[in-house]
Amino acid sequence: MAERTFFDQVLDAFEGFVGGALGVPHSSTHRRGLKVWFGDATREHYEAQLIRVPTGTALEIGFHSEHPKPTDNESVLARLLAAEESWRPELGDEAEAGAFIGSDKWRRISEVWEQPDPEDLEAAIEVAARLADYAIGLEPVRTATS
């Protein structure tokens, strides 16, 4: 049996935090991250991933819009920002909206943390809780019909 990674543990805790309230989560984990989406929206998803920063490696947690067309990503971000009053109290000022870190054609609402210790189960639970905050706060807006 394969060894469970830090992000497998994050996924387990995340699923516990969101339950079935947002629908059935689909996911993909790898050694550097976790991606979760609901329904068929693979281009719009929640992610906890290790990223490169000038000082080394950090952890990004939040929402990504990764459509091939930059205008589609701008539209998704604009729709989420138009309802900011519904999710900002939960996510706080730490949630930054704008260009994706490392690609200016994608968009994000996310925050960056120090890289967690991959052996720390408490850290995995904290990451899962914060990722769940993003999903619980943003998914109702993302899926609302205009």
Side-chain angles (χ1 to χ4, degrees), residues 124-136:
I125 293 169
E126 288 176 20
V127 171
R130 190 58 175 157
L131 191 61
D133 290 343
Y134 276 88
I136 291 166

Side-chain angles (χ1 to χ4, degrees), residues 135-146:
I136 291 166
L138 296 175
E139 192 64 8
V141 176
R142 190 192 72 77
T143 58
T145 55
S146 304

Side-chain angles (χ1 to χ4, degrees), residues 27-42:
S27 63
S28 172
T29 61
H30 51 86
R31 67 177 190 79
R32 296 191 56 83
L34 159 68
K35 183 184 298 187
V36 179
W37 63 96
F38 297 90
D40 296 329
T42 60

Side-chain angles (χ1 to χ4, degrees), residues 37 41-46 63-65 67 76 79 142:
W37 63 96
T42 60
R43 300 279 186 182
E44 299 172 23
H45 56 266
Y46 304 90
F63 171 81
H64 293 161
S65 180
H67 292 279
V76 169
R79 190 172 71 249
R142 190 192 72 77

Side-chain angles (χ1 to χ4, degrees), residues 8-144:
D8 290 324
Q9 294 173 350
V10 172
L11 176 59
D12 286 347
F14 173 87
E15 288 174 339
F17 285 123
V18 299
L22 303 173
V24 177
H26 304 279
S27 63
S28 172
T29 61
H30 51 86
R31 67 177 190 79
R32 296 191 56 83
L34 159 68
K35 183 184 298 187
V36 179
W37 63 96
F38 297 90
D40 296 329
T42 60
R43 300 279 186 182
E44 299 172 23
H45 56 266
Y46 304 90
E47 198 158 354
Q49 67 176 347
L50 297 176
I51 60 170
R52 294 195 193 288
V53 294
T55 58
T57 305
L59 177 74
E60 182 197 19
I61 303 169
F63 171 81
H64 293 161
S65 180
E66 299 177 5
H67 292 279
K69 295 180 181 177
T71 54
D72 292 342
N73 296 316
E74 274 299 325
S75 177
V76 169
L77 184 60
R79 190 172 71 249
L80 293 172
L81 289 174
E84 187 170 2
E85 73 283 349
S86 71
W87 54 262
R88 182 59 73 180
E90 179 68 26
L91 296 182
D93 293 336
E94 298 84 8
E96 296 181 20
F100 185 84
I101 298 169
S103 174
D104 62 357
K105 76 176 192 175
W106 294 338
R107 295 293 175 260
R108 71 182 178 103
I109 299 175
S110 67
E111 60 196 74
V112 177
W113 291 9
E114 288 185 23
Q115 180 178 353
D117 176 352
E119 303 297 321
D120 186 349
L121 181 58
E122 263 187 53
I125 293 169
E126 288 176 20
V127 171
R130 190 58 175 157
L131 191 61
D133 290 343
Y134 276 88
I136 291 166
L138 296 175
E139 192 64 8
V141 176
R142 190 192 72 77
T143 58

